[in-house]
Amino acid sequence: MEKKISERIRSLRLMNNLTAKELSAILGTSESAISLYENGKRKPSIELILKMADYFNVSTDYILGVTQSTLTISQKITDNDLSEI
């Protein structure tokens, strides 16, 4: 079963040893908003999902729970190109 957006956000924050307060400062939002996202009581905006994906260097599909892979399309292309060398 795929993880929910809320679980992905919390997981990414914890894997990067960030507090909710630190992540809120990085993303330019409030600590209470991070808590609401992580508890599934609110969905982040598209702009915020893009910021998270950029900061954590993962795909938006990963955050949205569409895929289990954290790789972005450009990372997949780079990996494929390197494997041919």
Side-chain angles (χ1 to χ4, degrees):
M1 185 169 127
E2 291 288 329
K3 285 186 176 181
K4 296 178 184 178
I5 295 172
S6 58
E7 294 169 336
R8 294 283 169 104
I9 294 170
R10 176 172 290 164
S11 176
L12 286 167
R13 179 176 63 78
L14 294 175
M15 285 190 305
N16 286 272
N17 297 314
L18 294 170
T19 64
K21 185 175 185 173
E22 290 168 331
L23 182 57
S24 69
I26 290 164
L27 298 176
T29 190
S30 68
E31 185 177 355
S32 62
I34 298 296
S35 177
L36 290 171
Y37 302 143
E38 290 185 356
N39 289 306
K41 295 182 179 179
R42 185 197 275 178
K43 301 268 188 227
S45 67
I46 293 169
E47 292 81 13
L48 199 61
I49 290 171
L50 289 169
K51 280 184 181 181
M52 284 185 230
D54 185 52
Y55 179 78
F56 291 119
N57 198 30
V58 297
S59 70
T60 53
D61 281 353
Y62 176 77
I63 293 173
L64 294 170
V66 174
T67 181
Q68 299 241 1
S69 173
T70 60
L71 296 179
T72 62
I73 291 173
S74 62
Q75 290 169 324
K76 289 178 184 177
I77 292 170
T78 302
D79 288 348
N80 289 337
D81 292 343
L82 292 175
S83 67
E84 292 175 8
I85 296 176

